[in-house]
Amino acid sequence: MGRTEQGIENSAGRYSAIPRVLALITFEGVAGSGREVLLLKGAPDKKIWPNLYNGVGGHVEAGEDVFGAARREIREETGLTVTDLRMRGIVHIDAGAARGILMFVFTARSETRTVVASGEGALEWWPADRLPEARTMVADLPLLLAKALGRPADAPPFSARYWYDEADRLRMEFDG
């Protein structure tokens, strides 16, 4: 199949989506200390989500697959090389315009707690059973943490759709 058979040149005016990745990284502590989750608290001067906790991630670059993008973003934002990278969900975010976002949600494990700071914000390890208050997180993060980290290893990825209502409030609907 050639490029023209993909129909891209005839897509003017059609809805399109920007691909992004979000990674939720865990560390299994020493015996008895339990699992920890790495969260990034957005820098105060960040354009989106300043001072709010989120996972790590970003845009998928041209020519990159989503797993490669997740590994790259993890390395860039944390300095970590992770294991057990798994796609746990796909979220379609309808921003109400001619474009939306397709977010690929991953989990991964780190063998170390040692991270390298980036300009994105402060990296903090949190006990999985004592995460920060929901009001200090990006709006969908509490649900994504539960959906992604609470999933059996062999479960298929979840799917979700987000949209904004008339009052510009984020609405979320998950499969199942």
Side-chain angles (χ1 to χ4, degrees), residues 7 26 31 34 44-46 48 63-64 66 70 82 86 95-96 108-109 112 116 131 136 147-148 157 173-174:
T26 59
D45 60 342
K46 227 177 143 188
I48 57 174
E64 197 173 39
V66 294
V82 296
R86 293 177 189 245
R109 288 193 338 229
T112 179
V116 178
L131 293 169
T136 65
K147 285 282 189 183
E173 179 178 85
F174 287 80

Side-chain angles (χ1 to χ4, degrees), residues 4-18 92 94 96-101:
T4 57
E5 292 173 300
Q6 293 290 345
I8 300 297
E9 69 280 347
N10 298 324
S11 64
R14 296 207 56 181
Y15 182 83
S16 64
I18 299 167
H92 174 219
D94 183 349
R99 291 199 315 179
I101 296 164

